[in-house]
């Protein structure tokens, strides 16, 4: 059964790769990256993550940039909507909050609790 793996991402992809290796990837899995405003370091981390995922068949990667990280209510609303869409599409959702801006991690946690 395919699962969705939601990961908050900052400037380093090692936490995301560690989470993916720990959980394992299967055919049809979806990796959802939630990140703050994308800067050069974030772009490099995303590219390294894409290079890593080339070794896995049918694993899809989607990037969701939360531009308004400093607007708490708007960010939580956008992340909650994203998680609701995933909940409607997947039976199993794994969420990893180990990387990225602290504000983004807290907003993602609050969005999860509001579900």
């Amino acid at each position: 059964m395919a699962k969705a793996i939601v990961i908050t991402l900052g400037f380093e992809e090692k936490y995301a790769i560690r989470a993916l290796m720990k959980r394992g990837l299967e055919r049809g899995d979806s990796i959802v990256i939630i990140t703050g405003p994308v800067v050069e370091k974030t772009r490099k981390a995303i590219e390294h993550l894409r290079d890593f995922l080339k070794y896995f068949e049918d694993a899809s990667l989607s990037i969701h940039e939360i531009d308004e990280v400093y607007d708490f209510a708007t960010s939580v609303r956008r992340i909650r909507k994203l998680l609701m869409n995933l909940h409607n599409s997947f039976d199993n959702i794994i969420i990893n909050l180990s990387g990225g801006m602290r504000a983004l991690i807290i907003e993602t946690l609050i969005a999860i609790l509001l579900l």
Side-chain angles (χ1 to χ4, degrees):
M1 175 170 45
K3 62 185 171 284
I5 302 172
V6 179
I7 302 172
T8 55
L9 181 70
F11 298 149
E12 295 187 24
E13 73 284 351
K14 66 183 174 185
Y15 302 111
I17 292 174
R18 186 181 303 156
L20 294 173
M21 293 300 292
K22 181 178 180 180
R23 295 292 176 187
L25 289 173
E26 298 172 359
R27 202 165 250 225
D29 285 353
S30 178
I31 294 93
V32 179
I33 301 296
I34 300 175
T35 186
V38 175
V39 295
E40 187 59 33
K41 288 181 178 180
T42 310
R43 269 192 264 294
K44 287 181 182 179
I46 291 170
E47 286 305 313
H48 287 291
L49 194 55
R50 281 194 174 123
D51 290 342
F52 171 76
L53 290 174
K54 286 180 184 177
Y55 297 105
F56 298 94
E57 290 183 15
D58 297 332
S60 65
L61 176 68
S62 61
I63 310 295
H64 297 275
E65 180 180 359
I66 307 297
D67 293 326
E68 59 279 339
V69 172
Y70 301 106
D71 183 2
F72 187 80
T74 304
S75 297
V76 170
R77 190 175 17 247
R78 284 189 61 200
I79 295 168
R80 184 178 180 275
K81 184 177 179 181
L82 169 66
L83 294 174
M84 283 298 294
N85 291 338
L86 288 174
H87 176 68
N88 294 333
S89 302
F90 293 93
D91 292 331
N92 193 9
I93 300 174
I94 298 167
I95 301 177
N96 186 308
L97 302 174
S98 63
M101 299 168 61
R102 288 182 186 108
L104 182 67
I105 292 170
I106 291 170
E107 291 163 352
T108 305
L109 179 61
I110 296 299
I112 293 164
L113 293 174
L114 289 174
L115 292 176

